[in-house]
């Protein structure tokens, strides 16, 4: 029985890691080959930017529907279906020779990501609630790793394969590795894949629109997303504007992505010594603000990118941990995560456009950076509404 328990635990951990790995390459792999896509399909800059915006908007708009689907079919089944949808849409990129088909594949990927993302919190709550901080660390690490791999390997793949279609469709490989794990979970837990009692969970499956706690988390996630997606779209040009060469700017963007990979594990270790979630939220927000201020003053750019990336990664890990810890069931955790991501990604989708608009108006990024600094400081101030106890967090 102990061996079976351990096998099941490792299966769940492996499935969580491999699934989380698939949430970002679909988006992060676009930028390195965007020039080739624009050239071959005749897309303008404004139109091609939708290739990044569409998945983010899907994550915001469709996240609440994942809760309803999990109520009907179960968390595990919906995750498996979403993973299959991401794989199919990624493979479809191999055959793209028109803009309409590319946007259709992008939309399918966005739907799959939107449905799967919130349910991973419910999956953690259901199978590994006793190890939530470490599981969120694994989730955050895999998410950052997927984003880093997508942004760093797609360009070399395009150069080697001489085809942006093939380099984009390469990211079906993590899906192929993840699907057998989920099929094994469905086989081992056929009866637990659906809600055991619809009546018992009826309240939990409603999105917590009336709860102040959920709104605070959602707004904070939105603030983080706005800053993150602004940097995802504009960081290379921000660094070049601050005086970095193109080569150094590219290397610093890689550092920004890589430093977020261990950030979840760092948060997990910090919580062991000092369990106040509120205090670490404040520290992380101030780290992000400090890094952005260094960019504003065009000084210590390597340190700025390091501090900003680490602060952003820690914020992401903490804001994904809280819906798991502050809820009482897997379904409720999924509903909180769905609301948080719904509002968060809708706010986050405006970030690149706002930064670009300010750049067009001012011909530099100073105002955009100051907006991101203000938002980071506001995150820290909002965290003061949280009253920390020894090993838990309550919102006043």
């Amino acid at each position: 029985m102990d061996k079976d328990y351990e096998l099941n635990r490792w299966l769940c951990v492996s499935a969580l890691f491999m699934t989380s790995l698939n949430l970002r390459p679909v988006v992060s792999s676009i930028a390195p080959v965007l020039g080739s896509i624009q050239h071959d399909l005749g897309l303008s800059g404004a139109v091609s930017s939708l290739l990044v915006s569409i998945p983010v908007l899907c994550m915001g708009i469709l996240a609440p529907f994942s809760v309803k689907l999990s109520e009907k079919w179960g968390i595990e089944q919906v995750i498996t279906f979403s993973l299959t949808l991401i794989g199919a849409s990624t493979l479809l990129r191999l055959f793209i020779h028109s803009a309409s088909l590319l946007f259709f594949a992008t939309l399918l990927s966005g739907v799959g990501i939107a449905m799967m993302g919130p349910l991973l919190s419910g999956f953690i709550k259901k199978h590994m609630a006793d190890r939530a901080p470490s599981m969120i660390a694994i989730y955050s690490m895999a998410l950052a790793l997927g984003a880093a791999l997508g942004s760093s390997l797609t360009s070399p793949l395009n150069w080697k394969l001489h085809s942006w279609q093939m380099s984009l469709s390469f990211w079906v490989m993590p899906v192929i590795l993840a699907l057998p794990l989920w099929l094994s979970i469905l086989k081992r837990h056929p009866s637990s894949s659906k809600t055991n009692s619809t009546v018992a969970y009826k309240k939990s499956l409603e999105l917590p629109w009336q709860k102040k706690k959920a709104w605070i988390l959602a707004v904070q996630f939105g603030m983080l997303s706005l800053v993150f997606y602004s940097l995802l779209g504009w960081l290379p040009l921000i660094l070049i504007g601050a005086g970095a060469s193109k080569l150094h700017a590219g290397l610093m963007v890689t550092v920004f992505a890589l430093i977020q990979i261990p950030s979840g594990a760092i948060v997990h270790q910090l919580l062991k010594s000092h369990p106040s979630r509120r205090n670490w939220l404040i520290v992380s927000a101030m780290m992000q603000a400090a890094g952005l201020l260094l960019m504003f003053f065009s000084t210590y750019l390597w340190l700025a990118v390091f501090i900003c990336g680490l602060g952003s990664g820690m914020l992401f890990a903490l804001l994904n941990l809280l819906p798991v810890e502050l809820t009482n069931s897997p379904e409720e955790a999924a509903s909180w995560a769905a609301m948080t991501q719904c509002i968060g990604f809708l706010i986050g989708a405006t970030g690149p456009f706002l930064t670009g608009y300010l750049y067009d108006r001012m011909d530099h990024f100073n105002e955009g950076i100051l907006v991101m600094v203000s938002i980071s400081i506001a995150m820290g101030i909002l965290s003061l509404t949280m009253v920390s106890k020894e090993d838990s967090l309550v919102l006043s």
Side-chain angles (χ1 to χ4, degrees):
M1 187 174 293
D2 290 340
K3 288 184 178 180
D4 187 66
Y5 174 80
E6 286 300 319
L7 178 62
N8 182 67
R9 178 60 65 94
W10 279 108
L11 179 61
C12 290
V13 172
S14 302
L16 174 67
F17 179 85
M18 288 307 303
T19 303
S20 303
L21 197 66
N22 284 282
L23 285 172
R24 290 297 178 267
V26 169
V27 179
S28 64
S29 62
I30 290 291
V33 294
L34 190 56
S36 299
I37 294 173
Q38 288 178 301
H39 178 268
D40 290 353
L41 301 182
L43 301 179
S44 66
V47 172
S48 59
S49 69
L50 294 175
L51 295 173
V52 175
S53 298
I54 286 174
V56 180
L57 288 172
C58 285
M59 285 186 265
I61 296 170
L62 300 179
F65 294 99
S66 64
V67 180
K68 295 299 180 183
L69 289 177
S70 69
E71 178 182 8
K72 186 173 182 179
W73 288 308
I75 290 174
E76 293 85 353
Q77 277 97 335
V78 176
I79 291 177
T80 304
F81 172 77
S82 301
L83 194 60
T84 304
L85 187 60
I86 293 172
S89 60
T90 304
L91 188 61
L92 183 60
R93 291 175 164 187
L94 184 62
F95 308 99
I96 288 173
H97 294 286
S98 67
S100 58
L101 188 57
L102 176 59
F103 282 109
F104 177 68
T106 302
L107 179 62
L108 289 182
S109 299
V111 171
I113 295 170
M115 292 298 174
M116 185 165 63
L119 297 184
L120 291 176
S121 296
F123 179 76
I124 292 172
K125 185 74 173 182
K126 184 174 184 178
H127 294 280
M128 297 167 285
D130 58 323
R131 298 170 63 186
S134 59
M135 292 303 103
I136 291 295
I138 290 173
Y139 166 69
S140 302
M141 183 183 301
L143 205 69
L145 178 60
L149 290 174
S151 60
S152 61
L153 294 184
T154 303
S155 185
L157 284 168
N158 185 39
W159 178 80
K160 183 73 173 177
L161 300 172
H162 305 289
S163 168
W164 58 264
Q165 291 94 336
M166 292 181 68
S167 62
L168 290 179
S169 62
F170 170 83
W171 298 106
V172 73
M173 296 303 297
V175 178
I176 293 174
L177 295 174
L179 271 175
L181 298 172
W182 281 100
L183 293 175
S184 297
I185 288 177
L186 289 176
K187 186 177 180 180
R188 292 175 67 88
H189 302 281
S191 61
S192 66
S193 296
K194 294 183 179 180
T195 306
N196 293 326
S197 173
T198 304
V199 176
Y201 289 129
K202 188 172 182 180
K203 286 188 177 181
S204 299
L205 291 171
E206 297 295 328
L207 266 63
W209 298 114
Q210 306 299 323
K211 293 184 180 291
K212 181 182 177 182
K213 299 178 184 180
W215 273 103
I216 291 176
L217 294 179
V219 170
Q220 285 200 309
F221 194 82
M223 291 177 171
L224 172 62
S225 298
L226 191 150
V227 173
F228 176 77
Y229 285 105
S230 296
L231 292 174
L232 189 67
W234 295 101
L235 184 57
L237 292 179
I238 289 174
L239 295 171
I240 291 172
S245 67
K246 288 185 178 180
L247 174 61
H248 285 167
L251 292 173
M252 282 186 272
V253 170
T254 302
V255 170
F256 179 78
L258 291 178
I259 191 57
Q260 295 187 51
I261 295 174
S263 57
I266 292 171
V267 167
H268 177 50
Q269 293 302 317
L270 291 173
L271 289 176
K272 287 183 177 180
S273 58
H274 186 70
S276 170
R277 277 65 172 157
R278 177 196 64 187
N279 291 350
W280 290 122
L281 278 170
I282 295 171
V283 169
S284 302
M286 293 305 104
M287 287 173 63
Q288 182 172 272
L292 289 165
L293 275 175
L294 289 175
M295 293 182 205
F296 176 80
F297 289 109
S298 302
T299 184
Y300 301 110
L301 293 181
W302 287 94
L303 179 63
V305 169
F306 183 90
I307 293 175
C308 186
L310 183 58
S312 178
M314 291 172 62
L315 282 169
F316 182 82
L318 287 164
L319 292 175
N320 278 280
L321 172 63
L322 295 179
V324 177
E325 292 192 331
L326 294 173
T327 52
N328 300 313
S329 72
E331 290 74 18
E332 189 181 7
S335 68
W336 278 55
M339 176 179 164
T340 299
Q341 294 184 23
C342 171
I343 295 171
F345 286 127
L346 287 176
I347 295 173
T350 66
F353 296 106
L354 175 62
T355 305
Y357 173 77
L358 291 173
Y359 177 76
D360 289 339
R361 290 281 301 260
M362 308 296 178
D363 201 31
H364 54 70
F365 287 102
N366 288 347
E367 280 72 17
I369 295 173
L370 286 179
V371 169
M372 288 187 276
V373 170
S374 301
I375 290 172
S376 300
I377 293 173
M379 286 188 69
I381 294 173
L382 190 57
S383 298
L384 292 173
T385 62
M386 300 177 181
V387 180
S388 178
K389 294 188 176 181
E390 183 178 357
D391 288 309
S392 62
L393 180 145
V394 180
L395 290 98
S396 59

